[in-house]
């Protein structure tokens, strides 16, 4: 059997990489501290991304067997003009298995035994849409262990299809190729340092298996019921998923609220597909706890095409923790026929807390109110934003969007911005400005639509120490406003972030974009004001940093722009404002590419 060892080393969280001599070179990253060492003409060190209980290994870092091959986008390749398996892969690289005997072998580099995996992969759609199921063989140290079931039933949407987004024969463009597949390892955990192999055998019937990455985790025991809590099972909820538990769960929450107690949702898969009421589950004012995100699942299995809402409401004085929220949704459209709806919808002037949850196949986690916190959570395979801090698009005092913190979370394969601040004034201009939003130490991997990070208006916004690895359609970071009703960006600090890639196929995009309100905006004369310090912008598929529209004031200090495909910094024509630049490095430019291009020299002044 022909085997070859790739030169990319395994790394934590899907490929923090350096650009040197025109190719990606992976760097070792601490599985605990996540210090991403960044190299250029001079060394820069940045600590970015979430601390997670799992370690991610890229498939293209593995050893290939049979006729397996790597598919990737390299620095300097033509910028993409359409979505592809490469654009949607973390780090823009994947391994393809097409024939029996093709395989990829990966090392458990987590330092722990792994009793669970999350395999991020894509298999083809059915010819008529709707997806297929197919198995893939898992081997441990060369010995067959189990079959992993993969599916494309919640993948392969078609943009601008004339019938519905799941129809491949209606003139649309394919995107949203991947899914995360959680796997409980059969038998003994996979020891640290051992080899796990994903192999296409004769029994594995998909025409192709495109493997992006594997997460390895040692999941501890299920949590136990807190003293004095009310169990949803005692109110009729079914942990075996045999009957709908919506009414039973809500009845438990209502009883706990009236008695001043908390709610316990034990291990199990609880169906929430009731048509009894159009109202979503409402946990306001109660602490609701599960046994852990690998143990307790609220599965929203609404009849498709759907017609009712299925989000979970989190209001003032609510705590939600330690569970998974999954759905059978198949395309985007909040409350629409594809089944997608918000994961959690949080609001409330009294504050709220969400921790250690995992939302899958939902729309955005929609976060408004005051003094709310989301931490140590995950979202994957979404149809909207991963975590969106906003003002609820309303002047409601319970949805002001003040002092909300999103910290140490992991988002992969989101259907819009992975992490966003969104301040909308509304058609009447009466919605308050989002203030004090904090997006800290999060990881965004491979959103299939929109941006890794986005600041769309706001005041005193902080976006610090986040990691973005791969963006399919837009930018790694977009800074500015949202549409013609968006509030201006009065002030934002962006520091310590590692931003890999960006510059996708949705028009002409770049690694980082800074813009301002358009002439048609409610605020046509407003400036975007942002300070960027100690960030690393690496491997953009076009310009590393692009400034456009009309009015921008930016302070750019001690940043590194590494290996962009086009310019390091490009200021478009027609921009007015100032750029206070100091201590920045633009390294590993491709031949003939400018470090800085200012097409507005008389109106946009660069100093330093």
């Amino acid at each position: 059997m022909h085997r070859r060892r790739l030169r990319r080393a395994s790394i934590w969280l899907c490929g923090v990489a350096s650009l040197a001599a025109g190719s990606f070179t992976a760097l070792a990253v601490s599985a605990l501290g996540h210090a991403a060492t960044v190299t250029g003409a001079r060394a820069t060190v940045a600590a970015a991304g979430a601390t997670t209980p799992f370690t991610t290994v890229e498939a293209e870092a593995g050893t290939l067997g049979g006729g397996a091959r790597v598919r990737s986008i390299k620095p300097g390749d033509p910028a993409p003009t359409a979505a592809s398996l490469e654009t949607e892969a973390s780090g823009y690289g994947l391994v393809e298995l097409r024939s029996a005997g093709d395989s990829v072998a990966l090392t458990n580099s987590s330092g722990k035994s792994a009793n669970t995996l999350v395999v991020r992969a894509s298999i083809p759609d059915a010819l008529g849409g709707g997806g297929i199921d197919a198995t893939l063989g898992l081997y441990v140290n060369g010995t067959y262990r189990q079959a992993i079931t993969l599916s494309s039933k919640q993948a392969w949407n078609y943009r601008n299809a004339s019938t519905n987004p799941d129809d491949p024969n209606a003139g649309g463009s394919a995107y949203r190729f991947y899914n995360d597949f959680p796997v409980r390892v059969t038998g003994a955990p996979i020891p640290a340092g051992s080899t796990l192999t994903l192999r296409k055998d004769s029994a594995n019937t998909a025409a192709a298996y495109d493997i992006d990455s594997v997460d390895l985790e040692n999941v501890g025991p299920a949590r136990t019921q807190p003293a004095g809590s009310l169990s949803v099972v005692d109110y009729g909820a079914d942990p075996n998923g045999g009957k709908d538990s919506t009414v039973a769960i809500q009845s438990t929450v209502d009883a706990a609220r009236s008695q001043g107690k908390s709610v316990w949702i034990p291990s199990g898969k609880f169906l929430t597909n009731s048509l009894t009421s159009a109202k979503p589950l409402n946990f306001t004012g109660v602490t609701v706890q599960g046994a852990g995100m690998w143990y307790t699942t609220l599965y929203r299995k609404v009849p498709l095409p759907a017609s009712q809402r299925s989000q979970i409401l989190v209001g003032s004085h609510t705590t939600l923790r330690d569970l998974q929220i999954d759905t059978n949704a198949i395309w985007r459209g909040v409350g629409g026929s594809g089944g997608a709806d918000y994961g959690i919808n949080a609001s409330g002037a009294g504050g709220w807390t969400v921790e250690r949850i995992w939302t899958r196949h939902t729309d955005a986690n929609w976060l408004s109110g005051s003094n709310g916190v989301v931490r140590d959570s995950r979202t994957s395979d979404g149809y909207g934003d991963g975590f969106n801090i906003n003002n609820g698009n309303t002047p409601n005092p319970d949805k002001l969007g003040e002092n909300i913190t999103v910290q140490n979370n992991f988002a992969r394969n989101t259907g819009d911005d992975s992490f966003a601040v969104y301040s909308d004034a509304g058609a009447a201009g009466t919605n308050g400005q989002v203030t004090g939003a904090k997006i800290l130490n999060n990881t965004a991997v491979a959103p299939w639509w929109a941006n890794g990070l986005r600041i769309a208006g706001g005041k005193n916004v902080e976006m610090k120490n986040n990691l973005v690895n791969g963006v399919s359609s837009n930018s790694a970071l977009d800074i500015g406003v949202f549409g013609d009703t968006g509030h201006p960006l009065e002030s934002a600090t962006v520091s310590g972030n590692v931003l890999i890639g960006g510059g996708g196929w949705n028009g002409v995009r770049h690694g980082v974009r800074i813009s301002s309100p358009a002439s048609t905006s409610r605020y046509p004369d407003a400036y975007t004001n942002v300070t960027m310090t100690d960030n690393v912008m690496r491997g953009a598929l076009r310009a590393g940093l692009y400034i456009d529209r009309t009015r921008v004031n930016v302070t750019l200090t001690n940043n590194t722009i590494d290996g962009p495909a086009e310019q390091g910094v490009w200021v478009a024509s027609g921009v007015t404002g100032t750029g206070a630049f100091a201590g920045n490095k633009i390294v590993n430019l491709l031949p003939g590419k400018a470090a800085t291009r200012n097409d507005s020299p008389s109106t946009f002044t660069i100093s330093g």
Side-chain angles (χ1 to χ4, degrees):
M1 181 182 295
H2 176 63
R3 302 173 71 87
R4 57 194 185 273
R5 180 70 183 175
L6 299 185
R7 297 178 62 188
R8 290 188 71 188
S10 299
I11 56 177
W12 181 86
L13 283 182
C14 309
V16 174
S18 73
L19 280 169
S23 63
F24 280 108
T25 303
L27 300 170
V29 183
S30 166
L32 295 177
H34 315 307
T37 302
V38 180
T39 62
R42 290 173 290 178
T44 301
V45 178
T51 300
T52 68
F54 58 87
T55 296
T56 297
V57 180
E58 289 289 316
E60 64 270 28
T63 300
L64 304 187
R69 65 170 182 143
V70 171
R71 294 175 53 175
S72 64
I73 299 173
K74 301 181 295 298
D77 284 352
T81 58
S84 67
L85 288 160
E86 292 90 339
T87 67
E88 291 189 14
S90 55
Y92 301 134
L94 64 129
V95 170
E96 186 168 78
L97 315 178
R98 298 192 70 89
S99 301
D102 289 359
S103 66
V104 56
L106 306 169
T107 301
N108 178 4
S109 56
S110 67
K112 301 178 181 179
S113 61
N115 57 12
T116 65
L117 307 174
V118 176
V119 178
R120 184 171 195 250
S122 173
I123 60 175
D125 196 5
L127 291 178
I132 64 171
D133 296 331
T135 59
L136 182 65
L138 170 65
Y139 294 74
V140 177
N141 291 330
T143 300
Y144 178 81
R145 178 64 69 89
Q146 68 192 87
I148 296 172
T149 299
L150 309 180
S151 178
S152 55
K153 291 180 178 178
Q154 290 180 287
W156 290 89
N157 288 169
Y158 300 88
R159 187 169 182 244
N160 298 324
S162 60
T163 53
N164 67 70
D166 210 31
D167 186 350
N169 303 305
S173 301
Y175 63 173
R176 201 189 186 281
F177 304 113
Y178 291 92
N179 257 305
D180 281 4
F181 298 97
V183 177
R184 287 192 174 271
V185 175
T186 300
I190 300 172
S194 61
T195 299
L196 63 99
T197 300
L198 298 174
R199 172 173 163 162
K200 176 175 165 56
D201 294 320
S202 58
N204 307 138
T205 56
Y209 295 80
D210 294 299
I211 313 300
D212 181 36
S213 62
V214 177
D215 301 340
L216 299 104
E217 182 175 357
N218 190 311
V219 175
R223 296 177 184 271
T224 57
Q225 182 173 355
S229 61
L230 303 182
S231 173
V232 297
V233 173
D234 293 337
Y235 284 75
D238 180 8
N240 299 312
K243 64 178 182 179
D244 179 72
S245 295
T246 308
V247 173
I249 292 172
Q250 188 63 61
S251 296
T252 314
V253 171
D254 294 343
R257 188 184 298 115
S258 66
Q259 298 175 37
K261 295 183 177 181
S262 65
V263 169
W264 167 244
I265 307 180
S267 296
K269 186 174 184 178
F270 297 85
L271 294 183
T272 56
N273 57 349
S274 174
L275 296 178
T276 302
S277 171
K279 296 180 180 179
L281 286 170
N282 189 340
F283 293 169
T284 296
V286 176
T287 293
V288 178
Q289 179 174 325
M293 62 176 70
W294 279 90
Y295 293 99
T296 299
T297 299
L298 301 183
Y299 189 73
R300 302 192 321 219
K301 190 178 180 181
V302 298
L304 298 176
S307 59
Q308 82 274 18
R309 305 301 297 268
S310 56
Q311 60 190 283
I312 291 177
L313 300 181
V314 171
S316 291
H317 311 299
T318 305
T319 296
L320 176 63
R321 58 166 68 107
D322 297 315
L323 54 79
Q324 181 181 141
I325 302 166
D326 194 7
T327 86
N328 63 332
I330 54 175
W331 67 73
R332 188 175 187 180
V334 172
S337 58
D341 201 348
Y342 296 146
I344 60 167
N345 187 346
S347 61
W352 45 264
T353 300
V354 174
E355 55 189 2
R356 298 186 301 275
I357 68 160
W358 188 1
T359 59
R360 303 177 59 225
H361 307 111
T362 69
D363 204 277
N365 292 298
W366 195 248
L367 314 173
S368 68
S370 301
N371 304 309
V373 177
V374 178
R375 58 188 172 223
D376 307 331
S377 294
R378 311 180 196 180
T379 188
S380 57
D381 304 325
Y383 297 97
D385 298 306
F387 298 91
N388 184 307
I389 299 173
N390 59 79
N391 58 13
N393 301 336
T394 174
N396 186 331
D398 267 333
K399 298 185 177 182
L400 292 178
E402 293 185 343
N403 303 316
I404 296 173
T405 299
V406 174
Q407 186 167 18
N408 201 59
N409 303 289
F410 181 90
R412 182 163 55 201
N413 201 35
T414 57
D416 214 316
D417 306 316
S418 298
F419 297 90
V421 177
Y422 168 40
S423 186
D424 182 26
T430 56
N431 302 343
Q433 174 74 292
V434 171
T435 61
K438 294 179 175 62
I439 295 181
L440 312 173
N441 295 97
N442 303 287
T443 295
V445 177
W448 56 272
W449 178 250
N451 309 283
L453 305 173
R454 185 168 190 183
I455 303 175
K459 180 179 180 180
N460 297 332
V461 176
E462 295 182 26
M463 186 168 278
K464 297 182 177 181
N465 301 326
N466 302 285
L467 170 65
V468 176
N469 185 24
V471 173
S472 181
S473 64
N474 287 20
S475 301
L477 167 62
D478 188 280
I479 301 170
V481 298
F482 188 91
D484 286 348
T485 62
H487 276 296
L489 181 57
E490 296 183 47
S491 54
T493 300
V494 177
S495 65
N497 303 286
V498 174
L499 309 169
I500 301 172
W505 53 266
N506 184 29
V508 179
R509 303 287 178 163
H510 302 276
V512 175
R513 180 195 181 204
I514 304 175
S515 64
S516 64
S519 60
T520 53
S521 167
R522 292 186 59 87
Y523 309 96
D525 299 324
Y527 277 78
T528 289
N529 301 289
V530 59
T531 297
M532 296 186 65
T533 61
D534 300 301
N535 302 284
V536 175
M537 295 161 265
R538 166 172 294 122
L541 302 181
R542 292 190 179 87
L545 172 62
Y546 177 65
I547 301 173
D548 74 332
R549 293 275 178 87
T550 54
R551 293 170 172 82
V552 172
N553 292 322
V554 56
T555 298
L556 201 68
T557 306
N558 296 333
N559 301 280
T560 298
I561 298 175
D562 188 351
E566 298 292 339
Q567 305 88 350
V569 177
W570 179 16
V571 181
S573 176
V575 178
T576 298
T578 59
F581 293 3
N584 303 293
K585 297 182 290 294
I586 301 174
V587 299
N588 293 321
L589 286 169
L590 297 176
K593 303 303 181 182
T596 301
R597 172 178 166 180
N598 186 358
D599 289 344
S600 302
S602 61
T603 56
F604 187 83
T605 303
I606 298 176
S607 61

